[in-house]
Amino acid sequence: MILPDSITDKFKGTFPQLLAAIAGTLSCISDGMQYGWTAPVIPKLLADDSPFPVTEYQAEWLETILMLGACCGLPLTMYLVDKIGRKGSLIGSSSTTLVAWIVIAFAPCIEYIYVARFLAGLAGDTAFVAAPMYIAEMADQKIRGFLSSIIYLMMLAGVLLVYCVAPFVPLWVPCIIGIGFNSITLVALPFMPDSPYYLLFKDKPDEARKALQQLRPHGNTEAELKDIAVAIERQKSEKGRPQDLLLVKSNRKALMIMVWLNGSQHMSSISVMLMNLHSILEEAGAVHIASSTAAIIFSALMFCAAMSASLAIDNFGRRILLITSGIFAGLSLGVIAVYFTLQNWGYEVVQVSWVVALAVMCYAAAFKFGIGLVPIVLTAELFPAKMKAIGMTISDACYVGFSVISLQVYHQLKNSFGIHVPFYIFACWCFGTVVFTLLFIPETKGKTLEEIQFILKGEHRTELESSQNSSENNRTDRTP
């Protein structure tokens, strides 16, 4: 009886926030579909019955174009989230992705799909910066971790959906599904409140009050509005120049944490796994399994693990999930590396090749339980209001950059020294993330965004409480 009561208390009065979070992230299902679209679709484009002629070289560019769009979207994202707001950026992103799906559905040749994929990458970059900002700034701290993780759940649902549907239907069917999700977003999101932090930052106190009342219908909105206003004024008084990411200690620490965690997401081999899963299993001599089936199982395990982590993140904290994930993902990759080492030395290991398939699936669950989920939560929590746009955009740039680096590390080392070598590196990076978490990453569970800034500045909890108590006493002394 204790667990249901605690869950009920945790979510009590937060339905408007949950509704806003779902409306703000629903289009991320479409973005996830775009991310996973090439795996099941490229074989169809290369087949004899392809709707138009496509060479292997042209097909290889379909993934690269998406990442190029994401890179080009970085400066635009940094501008939009502060200029038109978090909600406005999400509406613009969803509109762009909708156009991309329409172009793909009616594309008469591969060049049209290139344009659509570029637009999808640009829009996806905007969504994955604006959505965490929107949620972190409007959510109650007791459920902020859960709500912030919804964006990854939506993305994984999109990957799983396109893996399940695209191999078995005409090319236009996934487009219709993607258009549907974006259309729902464009209908629902305009009715949701904008971020109170953003509205106060833009000197719109009346709109901020109205938004907060919508989000906290039973809360003390005036008191919270004052706290947010104080935090905004303090953060406005601080410099917001790009170089202050390095010159200001708290910003520098936040940036260091996010660069490492975004690097860890790819240097723990997730892009390598997603794009080379079947070839890895084939090289291991594992029991033959259709590539579409392996991809579905892999993505389903990631989704289930991410769902479990999203429910646990506000109860157990961010650090414990990162540590647990790093240990088990590292062990799974280590098993794969040892297997390929023995194979490379000439040992007959094909009889236990099932170990590789098992390790790959264990990795999928372990990765998404922490390393693949927690960074998206922390990235919107660690940067102050004035540095949030540039800080999160640079973090996103690192995410894109490390995806390319991890793929190059895998292919270059595999071709030069054997497939076991990159897996040793990926395993070591996972264990390095465990050490990094223990040494540098603060626990943000249950903390307000203002408290997190004090922690990054190195102020002790007792000092912060003393300052708050002193402020409360002063207000009490002035009460007649």
Side-chain angles (χ1 to χ4, degrees):
M1 292 298 293
I2 296 176
L3 184 58
D5 288 342
S6 64
I7 293 176
T8 301
D9 291 340
K10 179 178 174 181
F11 286 94
K12 186 176 181 180
T14 61
F15 180 74
Q17 300 169 44
L18 180 61
L19 196 62
I22 292 174
T25 58
L26 192 63
S27 65
C28 293
I29 297 178
S30 170
D31 293 325
M33 291 177 64
Q34 286 281 1
Y35 186 77
W37 183 81
T38 51
V41 169
I42 284 179
K44 293 182 134 189
L45 293 176
L46 295 175
D48 294 336
D49 59 349
S50 172
F52 42 79
V54 177
T55 66
E56 288 191 14
Y57 177 76
Q58 288 175 322
E60 289 175 1
W61 272 95
L62 288 173
E63 285 183 357
T64 306
I65 288 290
L66 185 75
M67 303 312 294
L68 286 175
C71 289
C72 293
L74 292 171
L76 180 63
T77 298
M78 190 166 55
Y79 172 79
L80 288 178
V81 291
D82 278 341
K83 186 66 177 178
I84 65 174
R86 290 62 161 135
K87 189 175 81 169
S89 298
L90 287 171
I91 292 172
S93 169
S94 187
S95 302
T96 304
T97 309
L98 186 146
V99 171
W101 282 121
I102 293 174
V103 172
I104 293 174
F106 293 99
C109 60
I110 190 69
E111 286 77 14
Y112 279 77
I113 299 184
Y114 286 157
V115 173
R117 294 283 288 171
F118 182 87
L119 290 174
L122 189 150
D125 180 84
T126 302
F128 275 82
V129 173
M133 293 174 72
Y134 176 64
I135 292 173
E137 293 176 354
M138 64 86 177
D140 191 304
Q141 60 259 34
K142 67 180 179 180
I143 61 165
R144 188 176 63 233
F146 170 74
L147 293 184
S148 296
S149 66
I150 286 179
I151 183 174
Y152 257 131
L153 294 177
M154 295 293 191
M155 188 204 75
L156 288 172
V159 173
L160 179 58
L161 180 60
V162 80
Y163 283 172
C164 292
V165 172
F168 315 109
V169 297
L171 293 179
W172 56 266
V173 174
C175 300
I176 297 298
I177 298 173
I179 289 170
F181 284 117
N182 285 287
S183 298
I184 295 172
T185 297
L186 293 175
V187 170
L189 190 55
F191 294 98
M192 298 296 116
D194 209 334
S195 158
Y197 265 82
Y198 171 76
L199 293 171
L200 275 179
F201 193 78
K202 291 296 183 179
D203 296 320
K204 299 178 180 179
D206 292 336
E207 293 182 37
R209 180 179 290 103
K210 183 179 178 181
L212 206 55
Q213 288 171 346
Q214 287 181 261
L215 294 166
R216 319 270 200 276
H218 306 295
N220 188 349
T221 54
E222 288 301 321
E224 186 172 355
L225 198 65
K226 289 179 181 178
D227 290 340
I228 295 174
V230 170
I232 292 291
E233 286 303 313
R234 182 189 64 78
Q235 293 174 30
K236 273 188 174 182
S237 67
E238 297 176 348
K239 296 176 181 179
R241 303 168 303 174
Q243 59 265 39
D244 291 321
L245 272 176
L246 298 176
L247 297 178
V248 178
K249 178 184 176 182
S250 57
N251 294 338
R252 187 167 60 247
K253 186 172 182 180
L255 183 64
M256 176 186 70
I257 291 170
M258 292 320 306
V259 167
W260 180 274
L261 289 182
N262 279 290
S264 293
Q265 291 198 69
H266 290 290
M267 293 307 293
S268 59
S269 80
I270 186 60
S271 289
V272 170
M273 287 290 192
L274 284 172
M275 297 180 185
N276 300 274
L277 178 59
H278 197 54
S279 64
I280 291 170
L281 294 176
E282 284 183 346
E283 190 151 347
V287 178
H288 289 292
I289 180 172
S291 57
S292 58
T293 304
I296 290 170
I297 296 172
F298 190 85
S299 56
L301 283 170
M302 287 198 298
F303 181 81
C304 292
M307 177 64 77
S308 301
S310 68
L311 294 172
I313 194 169
D314 285 314
N315 291 327
F316 299 101
R318 287 61 161 150
R319 282 163 53 89
I320 189 66
L321 265 62
L322 281 172
I323 292 168
T324 303
S325 174
I327 291 172
F328 284 98
L331 289 174
S332 300
L333 293 171
V335 168
I336 297 172
V338 169
Y339 176 91
F340 282 121
T341 298
L342 295 175
Q343 185 187 67
N344 189 55
W345 287 350
Y347 288 93
E348 288 293 331
V349 291
V350 70
Q351 293 181 346
V352 292
S353 61
W354 57 268
V355 170
V356 175
L358 179 62
V360 165
M361 299 309 168
C362 288
Y363 164 82
F367 172 80
K368 274 301 174 184
F369 189 73
I371 295 175
L373 181 79
V374 173
I376 197 67
V377 177
L378 286 177
T379 190
E381 294 181 331
L382 296 181
F383 292 108
K386 205 161 188 177
M387 301 302 302
K388 201 176 287 280
I390 186 172
M392 291 184 66
T393 302
I394 291 176
S395 297
D396 196 54
C398 293
Y399 180 86
V400 174
F402 274 106
S403 68
V404 177
I405 292 172
S406 66
L407 290 168
Q408 288 300 311
V409 165
Y410 172 73
H411 288 296
Q412 296 299 325
L413 294 181
K414 173 190 172 185
N415 294 335
S416 300
F417 304 103
I419 192 173
H420 58 290
V421 176
F423 279 107
Y424 279 119
I425 293 175
F426 297 145
C428 288
W429 196 290
C430 288
F431 293 125
T433 298
V434 173
V435 176
F436 184 87
T437 300
L438 291 169
L439 294 178
F440 299 109
I441 298 180
E443 182 55 71
T444 62
K445 180 192 76 170
K447 305 290 194 305
T448 66
L449 298 182
E450 179 73 347
E451 287 176 322
I452 294 170
Q453 288 306 304
F454 277 103
I455 293 171
L456 290 173
K457 291 177 184 295
E459 296 193 13
H460 296 292
R461 176 74 180 173
T462 54
E463 292 175 2
L464 178 58
E465 289 175 345
S466 175
S467 174
Q468 291 173 335
N469 291 335
S470 174
S471 176
E472 290 174 1
N473 290 335
N474 289 338
R475 287 198 295 268
T476 302
D477 292 340
R478 291 193 294 267
T479 303

